Amino acid sequence: MKISLPDDCGNAPRIGITNDIVAAWARGDREVLDEWSAEDIEWEWAGSDDPVPVDGEPGLFPGVVPDVLTIENTISHGKFASSHGSFVQENSVTDFALFFRFKSAGKQAKVASVKGFLSN
């Protein structure tokens, strides 16, 4: 998978961490997600009433590892971060936005929750 990241000043460690988490999500890398996920993390997808636990439930990952992942912007402030971009898989483009809440503002804090939006 080719990954394209935005240029940033490099002064916010949470931005790099968030980009790593987004790339792990796109390629279905449970090891990295587990490393950064709190035990009680919940993923919520816009338009769905049910949170998706990170325990292998269907619907957590995009389903197919994209050929190209483009992260257009990632921002962070305190215990919050967000990222948006697109991925290309099998000649189809999907836009995404992921909003993260970490357990605390510390740079080693685990992700407590994620709300995601996908659009084809």
Side-chain angles (χ1 to χ4, degrees), residues 25-58:
W25 163 75
R27 69 178 173 267
D29 186 337
R30 288 295 305 268
E31 185 175 328
V32 172
L33 281 185
D34 287 347
E35 175 186 340
W36 285 106
S37 296
E39 287 183 24
D40 57 349
I41 185 174
E42 289 186 338
W43 285 65
E44 178 184 355
W45 293 106
S48 173
D49 293 333
D50 297 319
V52 178
V54 182
D55 63 2
E57 288 291 320

Side-chain angles (χ1 to χ4, degrees), residues 55-66:
D55 63 2
E57 288 291 320
L60 176 63
F61 300 111
V64 176
V65 175

Side-chain angles (χ1 to χ4, degrees), residues 67-85:
D67 299 321
V68 179
L69 169 66
T70 301
I71 299 175
E72 294 180 27
N73 288 295
T74 301
I75 60 172
S76 69
H77 182 76
K79 65 179 184 176
F80 300 99
S82 64
S83 184
H84 79 90

